Amino acid sequence: MAEQAVRPEIKLPEVKMNIYSPRNPVEVPVVENRIVTRESSPNFIRHVSFDISDTKLQDNIQLGQSFGILPPGKNEKGRPYKLRLYSLASPYHGENGNQRIISTTVKRIIEEWENEGELYLGVCSNFLCNLRPGETVKMTGPAGRRFLLPENRNDFNYVFFATGTGIAPFRGMVYDLLKEGIESDIYLIFGTPYRTDILYEDYFRGLEEAHPNFHFMVYVSREDRRADGSKKYVQFAIDDHQEQFIPLLSQDNTLLYICGLQGMQAGIYKQLARHNLYEYLELKDSIQGKDPDEWTSKDIKRRIKPGTRTFVEVY
Ligand code: FAD
Ligand code: A2P
């Protein structure tokens, strides 16, 4: 753990926003598109890389930010599809140290609609997953000004919670923190439905082996159960590994990042409150004193904000 002195100020970098807008996107080629779920998985998640050479995105997109993709085609009202955002998954210096190549992690949305039993394929995720190297996309961005690593990175410990493709930003963040030689603790707790869907497992296990201060924990929701029979969801890591997380989260210089499914935000907030870790939350007066077990989704949305040491990107 980084030693706790006076609470360090969190210096977030100034970032560029929307250099390319939906009206003025940049066209870039795909250079790689590979599946990252195993063969026997019921899900299809892909690692997709783009060449941003000679565009204004090069050097101007930061870890934690996203870019937009404008899928071709029109919706049922005849209007062009709106952009969808995807988190940057590459380190600051790009894929394999090549600053010109950025990547993301995309899950194909494949659903069967209950009433009609009709198959629905998500517009942009399937467009991206179907692309072959050499084909191009219309890209916008960068987007996002708070879900970032601080400039004074060495002053902090990090606890990263991810579900599904929410692991994307942490792929680059963990790599860069370790490469910069940070010695404080970094925990990445990743939630996934099946073992076949542990994204970038070899990559994170390799980093864990090489760096004793980095810990990769996997919570498999549909194959494992907790001792009390409840589902293995990432937020319960705080309970299941109290001896590690309570001292770590109680330090003034620990930062908490949450990325992935909307639902995990409420789950993590409640766990923090149950362990009296209110420092990570900003509660409005109207909810002060209310039992966290009674917090509604409206409370979470309207009456609780992330505290200064909490960074949230849910979708
Ligand atoms: P859509 O076609 O938009 O469908 C999405 C949902 O809407 C489906 O559940 C579908 O059932 C429902 N729906 C659509 N049309 C109808 C209809 N007519 N009637 C009823 N229901 C309908 N995703 C990633 O995979 N990786 C990332 O790294 C990532 N990062 C993100 C970062 C941010 C900041 C945000 C906001 C989102 C991020 N997303 C990410 C989500 C991504 O932007 C898309 O929302 C996702 O890929 C689905 O888009 P789609 O076009 O495939 O699905
Ligand atoms: P489950 O689907 O078993 O309920 P993916 O996006 O690849 O489906 O992964 C999302 C992961 O997050 C799954 O393991 C999913 O579990 C889990 N999950 C779903 N709802 C929540 C929640 N409210 N809190 C934490 N994890 C959740």
Side-chain angles (χ1 to χ4, degrees):
M1 268 180 228
E3 252 179 56
Q4 182 175 348
V6 183
R7 174 186 299 200
E9 187 195 341
I10 303 168
K11 295 177 193 144
L12 289 184
E14 287 288 319
V15 290
K16 298 263 172 44
M17 293 277 289
N18 300 316
I19 301 172
Y20 296 105
S21 66
R23 283 178 181 216
N24 166 36
V26 63
E27 194 156 345
V28 297
V30 170
V31 291
E32 189 191 14
N33 190 339
R34 68 180 154 90
I35 195 144
V36 285
T37 39
R38 298 230 179 103
E39 209 179 334
S40 50
S41 170
N43 298 307
F44 303 99
I45 303 180
R46 292 188 153 262
H47 182 78
V48 187
S49 307
F50 308 88
D51 187 343
I52 56 162
S53 300
D54 305 324
T55 73
K56 291 179 200 150
L57 287 174
Q58 206 182 318
D59 294 329
N60 283 323
I61 183 160
Q62 300 287 335
L63 294 171
Q65 286 194 298
S66 307
F67 52 81
I69 296 288
L70 286 164
K74 292 182 175 163
N75 64 19
E76 63 279 6
K77 289 182 185 153
R79 299 202 186 107
Y81 285 123
K82 293 208 164 126
L83 74 82
R84 270 71 163 172
L85 291 173
Y86 294 90
S87 304
L88 185 74
S90 36
Y92 181 69
H93 289 293
E95 287 293 299
N96 306 316
N98 184 344
Q99 188 115 37
R100 295 173 292 119
I101 311 294
I102 60 166
S103 64
T104 189
T105 318
V106 190
K107 179 177 185 177
R108 282 188 190 270
I109 301 296
I110 304 173
E111 293 169 359
E112 191 177 296
W113 284 352
E114 273 175 31
N115 295 342
E116 304 90 11
E118 202 180 304
L119 181 70
Y120 179 77
L121 299 180
V123 172
C124 195
S125 57
N126 285 285
F127 162 68
L128 278 175
C129 287
N130 288 341
L131 287 167
R132 303 214 175 137
E135 292 183 302
T136 59
V137 296
K138 288 190 171 137
M139 190 175 272
T140 67
R145 55 168 94 251
R146 180 151 195 279
F147 191 83
L148 304 163
L149 287 179
E151 283 172 345
N152 50 333
R153 295 171 185 186
N154 271 307
D155 292 345
F156 302 97
N157 305 298
Y158 298 86
V159 178
F160 297 130
F161 282 102
T163 51
T165 55
I167 202 164
F170 303 133
R171 181 176 175 269
M173 285 183 178
V174 169
Y175 183 89
D176 277 4
L177 286 170
L178 295 172
K179 192 166 156 256
E180 287 162 18
I182 192 170
E183 286 174 3
S184 54
D185 275 325
I186 306 171
Y187 278 84
L188 170 58
I189 307 113
F190 172 59
T192 185
Y194 305 107
R195 284 197 171 69
T196 51
D197 297 13
I198 304 175
L199 306 177
Y200 308 116
E201 185 175 15
D202 292 345
Y203 171 88
F204 285 117
R205 292 283 175 226
L207 290 176
E208 194 176 34
E209 252 171 52
H211 302 273
N213 58 323
F214 171 56
H215 313 273
F216 182 50
M217 284 183 175
V218 179
Y219 266 56
V220 181
S221 61
R222 298 195 191 174
E223 294 183 70
D224 299 338
R225 280 279 176 276
R226 296 175 66 236
D228 65 1
S230 60
K231 266 193 146 177
K232 273 241 176 185
Y233 278 170
V234 284
Q235 55 268 35
F236 297 127
I238 301 175
D239 263 350
D240 299 343
H241 301 277
Q242 291 191 32
E243 68 296 347
Q244 277 146 298
F245 286 115
I246 303 303
L248 180 64
L249 290 167
S250 301
Q251 294 230 358
D252 273 353
N253 61 339
T254 296
L255 304 182
L256 182 76
Y257 289 72
I258 301 171
C259 188
L261 287 185
Q262 290 267 1
M264 73 190 288
Q265 182 184 7
I268 293 172
Y269 283 8
K270 286 183 182 181
Q271 280 306 310
L272 291 168
R274 282 182 196 124
H275 289 283
N276 222 12
L277 294 161
Y278 281 98
E279 283 269 312
Y280 292 90
L281 307 172
E282 207 182 294
L283 271 58
K284 291 217 165 140
D285 287 347
S286 55
I287 200 184
Q288 295 280 356
K290 188 171 177 181
D291 181 345
D293 287 331
E294 308 287 317
W295 287 353
T296 61
S297 44
K298 208 165 155 190
D299 287 334
I300 306 276
K301 213 167 170 185
R302 300 205 184 147
R303 301 182 183 105
I304 306 175
K305 287 206 173 135
T308 48
R309 289 191 283 138
T310 309
F311 303 85
V312 182
E313 188 91 284
V314 287
Y315 46 86

